[in-house]
Amino acid sequence: MSDTINLTLKVWRQPNASTPGKFVEYPAKNIPTDCSFLEMLDIVNETLVAQNIEPVAFDHDCREGICGMCSLVINGVAHGPEKATTTCQLHMRHFKDGDTVYVEPWRAVAFPLIKDLVVDRTAFERIQQAGGYISARNGSAPDSNSVPIPKQNADCAMDAAACIGCGACVAACPNSSAMLFVSAKVSHLALLPQGQPERTRRAVKMVKTMDAEGFGNCTNYYECEAVCPAEIKSSFISMLNREYVFAAAREAVSEI
Amino acid sequence: MKAIISFYQSSIGKKWIVALTGLVLVGFVTGHMIGNLQVFLGHEALNRYAAFLQGLGELLWVIRGVLAACIIVHIITTVLLWVQNNAAKPQKYAVNNPQAGSIGARTMIVSGLIIICFLVFHILHFTALSIHPEWKLWEDPDGRHDVYSLVIAGFRNPLESLFYLVGVFLLATHLSHGIQSFIQTLGLRSRKIAEPLTTASPYLAGLLFLGYASIPVGVLLAQHLNLPILQPLAH
């Protein structure tokens, strides 16, 4: 029965942002192949606690692949080797007995490290606050289908809305650009009638906040699209490039 | 003015500037290649074409000015982007495991800066004629500047041909990323026509490489195999 595997982990340990970090090697013994990557880390942490070693800090929440809280760059790939899969849904059966696995935090100036594998992703919240919302009317709910939306737009908006805001796009981008995230949020609302009132302001302000937060510039590597667990397409970035220029032009004209 | 400055300061604004200037330059290298391929038609065709370009007078300088401005803006903006992008990710991963970015995409800044060195040499070599000043005096039987023979004389030097081949190869790798990149940046990639264009981008760049490389390779082959084409006039 080969239901368990043994791995060698090289985990990034860093007590806080101001202390330099380093890789520390930990054996991961008798790991059931049915457990997820995070459950594997739980098992390793149990053994660390038993040895009186500080457990490895990592982000996690729903462990169902929908909350966007888990992160980790596993052997150089954000969320690990499986396509369209968050780290919490990555199962150990995708690793071989005896593998050495490097585990690193998201690396980007805009995502400062908090501890070990945990980074601060509140820059995404600030981008959302700058324009990732709509003005909804108060009162009773409108009749269903009272606002017609072309099927194509509804589908496309849903594809963009699938973004869980995990930040893998930033982690994978050699420039730490947040364009895939911002493009998903801007496109999602720009495609729907409810998103029209703030459309111009939204594109301009969200891009401005993105730049101010210290994310890099998109140079079309498409690494983001390759690692995105929600399969957000890079064509949304193209859509944002168009959206932003028209919005900036509309804003410039309105100021004259 | 304020709108223009804030547009240039934004990341997407800079991308648009790079894409638009790049588009002009892609147009130029395409036209330049088609014009140059007339060398295969003999001295009559190429020298007539060269005389036509020289005959444009002030218009020629307007075109040169626009191209030079595009090159300068393209370089300044991309270097600015490169500096910002390095600052955004100071710490790289211990394991480098790219999932998508092509070699062309990853070497844009290197290929671009070498292309500029090549361009300076190329202009001194075939436009200003400062490397071989005696070429300025060459004329064909119709009294036109004999550009045809000086191109062949230049490419008969294997070192100059090799440098030229390296230059156009780097240009092709630069454009294999560049052509699809401006489609993405100008916001056209979600449309139907853009997807096949994106796939075609490396092939279009390869076509440009073959077109440009055919001239030095052709000259050297014609010289060593004594072919009836690509032989210089006597000077």
Side-chain angles (χ1 to χ4, degrees):
Chain A
M1 223 171 96
S2 62
D3 280 338
T4 63
I5 54 172
N6 296 311
L7 303 169
T8 306
L9 298 186
K10 301 225 184 223
V11 182
W12 186 261
R13 301 297 314 256
Q14 188 170 348
N16 53 55
S18 50
T19 316
K22 61 176 192 300
F23 283 101
V24 179
E25 194 176 302
Y26 297 116
K29 289 204 184 333
N30 300 320
I31 302 299
T33 50
D34 287 343
C35 75
S36 74
F37 200 87
L38 297 187
E39 286 162 344
M40 181 274 290
L41 288 178
D42 291 337
I43 294 169
V44 172
N45 273 345
E46 293 281 343
T47 65
L48 294 183
V49 171
Q51 299 167 59
N52 238 346
I53 301 171
E54 173 102 8
V56 177
F58 60 89
D59 263 330
H60 60 104
D61 192 6
C62 76
R63 299 207 178 194
E64 290 180 335
I66 51 172
C67 78
M69 198 59 199
C70 61
S71 54
L72 307 185
V73 170
I74 301 161
N75 283 337
V77 183
H79 288 302
E82 285 293 292
K83 293 276 172 224
T85 305
T86 53
T87 299
C88 65
Q89 293 295 301
L90 171 66
H91 288 87
M92 297 313 293
R93 66 184 77 101
H94 300 297
F95 294 85
K96 289 197 296 290
D97 190 48
D99 276 356
T100 299
V101 181
Y102 278 83
V103 190
E104 297 176 73
W106 286 173
R107 299 227 190 260
V109 158
F111 288 162
L113 190 130
I114 296 172
K115 184 180 181 180
D116 294 340
L117 303 170
V118 180
V119 298
D120 179 359
R121 283 172 280 182
T122 49
F124 270 12
E125 311 300 329
R126 289 188 288 273
I127 293 174
Q128 280 287 67
Q129 285 160 12
Y133 54 81
I134 58 163
S135 309
R137 74 187 192 107
N138 280 326
S140 57
D143 283 346
S144 58
N145 299 326
S146 60
V147 183
I149 302 170
K151 166 85 171 119
Q152 219 177 356
N153 287 13
D155 286 351
C156 198
M158 280 303 288
D159 288 345
C163 171
I164 55 177
C166 66
C169 42
V170 175
C173 177
N175 310 331
S176 296
S177 166
M179 284 286 279
L180 195 65
F181 168 77
V182 177
S183 70
K185 298 303 175 195
V186 168
S187 305
H188 159 212
L189 297 176
L191 282 160
L192 297 173
Q194 292 87 344
Q196 299 313 306
E198 294 95 354
R199 186 170 178 176
T200 300
R201 223 178 345 148
R202 178 182 305 115
V204 172
K205 281 193 163 176
M206 287 181 82
V207 168
K208 200 170 181 177
T209 311
M210 170 184 84
D211 291 344
E213 289 290 345
F215 293 103
N217 306 284
C218 173
T219 51
N220 308 337
Y221 286 110
Y222 310 126
E223 293 286 346
C224 50
E225 179 182 66
V227 300
C228 179
E231 296 191 288
I232 306 295
K233 295 291 168 225
S234 58
S235 54
F236 284 116
I237 296 180
S238 198
M239 213 183 269
L240 173 62
N241 289 332
R242 191 169 70 228
E243 182 78 11
Y244 175 77
V245 166
F246 286 125
R250 274 197 298 272
E251 205 176 65
V253 169
S254 72
E255 275 172 10
I256 292 170
Chain B
M1 195 61 207
K2 195 174 134 242
I4 294 171
I5 291 171
S6 75
F7 181 70
Y8 191 78
Q9 278 171 342
S10 74
S11 59
I12 296 178
K14 281 202 264 312
K15 278 159 55 89
W16 268 71
I17 301 293
V18 172
L20 290 173
T21 52
L23 189 55
V24 171
L25 296 172
V26 168
F28 167 74
V29 293
T30 309
H32 188 51
M33 180 192 78
I34 294 167
N36 288 1
L37 284 176
Q38 295 181 73
V39 74
F40 288 102
L41 301 176
H43 70 90
E44 181 62 33
L46 192 71
N47 289 350
R48 189 200 49 79
Y49 170 65
F52 158 71
L53 290 182
Q54 285 298 330
L56 291 176
E58 286 85 355
L59 187 60
L60 180 65
W61 284 101
V62 171
I63 295 169
R64 283 174 173 169
V66 169
L67 289 172
C70 281
I71 291 172
I72 291 166
V73 171
H74 193 79
I75 294 174
I76 291 176
T77 312
T78 45
V79 169
L80 221 64
L81 288 169
W82 181 69
V83 169
Q84 286 182 347
N85 290 342
N86 276 345
K89 201 176 212 81
Q91 186 162 9
K92 310 289 179 213
Y93 293 105
V95 184
N96 181 30
N97 195 350
Q99 301 294 297
S102 64
I103 294 173
R106 287 175 182 277
T107 52
M108 287 304 268
I109 191 93
V110 180
S111 59
L113 291 176
I114 300 174
I115 289 166
I116 275 303
C117 301
F118 166 72
L119 183 68
V120 171
F121 169 79
H122 186 55
I123 289 173
L124 293 176
H125 191 210
F126 280 147
T127 309
L129 305 177
S130 358
I131 295 169
H132 304 280
E134 69 277 11
W135 288 353
K136 287 178 193 165
L137 305 172
W138 289 8
E139 283 188 353
D140 69 2
D142 299 316
R144 286 179 296 223
H145 187 207
D146 191 10
V147 173
Y148 174 78
S149 297
L150 70 84
V151 165
I152 292 169
F155 285 142
R156 280 190 169 183
N157 180 333
L159 271 181
E160 285 173 21
S161 271
L162 183 70
F163 187 54
Y164 184 89
L165 285 175
V166 171
V168 291
F169 178 75
L170 288 174
L171 180 70
T173 62
H174 198 77
L175 295 187
S176 70
H177 179 67
I179 294 174
Q180 62 81 30
S181 210
F182 78 71
I183 298 164
Q184 166 82 351
T185 301
L186 300 184
L188 304 170
R189 193 142 165 277
S190 49
R191 304 215 177 139
K192 268 184 188 162
I193 191 170
E195 214 51 58
L197 254 170
T198 303
T199 320
S201 179
Y203 294 100
L204 291 174
L207 214 59
L208 281 171
F209 173 73
L210 288 180
Y212 275 118
S214 68
I215 302 171
V217 170
V219 166
L220 288 171
L221 283 179
Q223 181 191 7
H224 293 289
L225 302 176
N226 276 322
L227 299 180
I229 54 158
L230 298 174
Q231 299 296 340
L233 307 177
H235 287 285

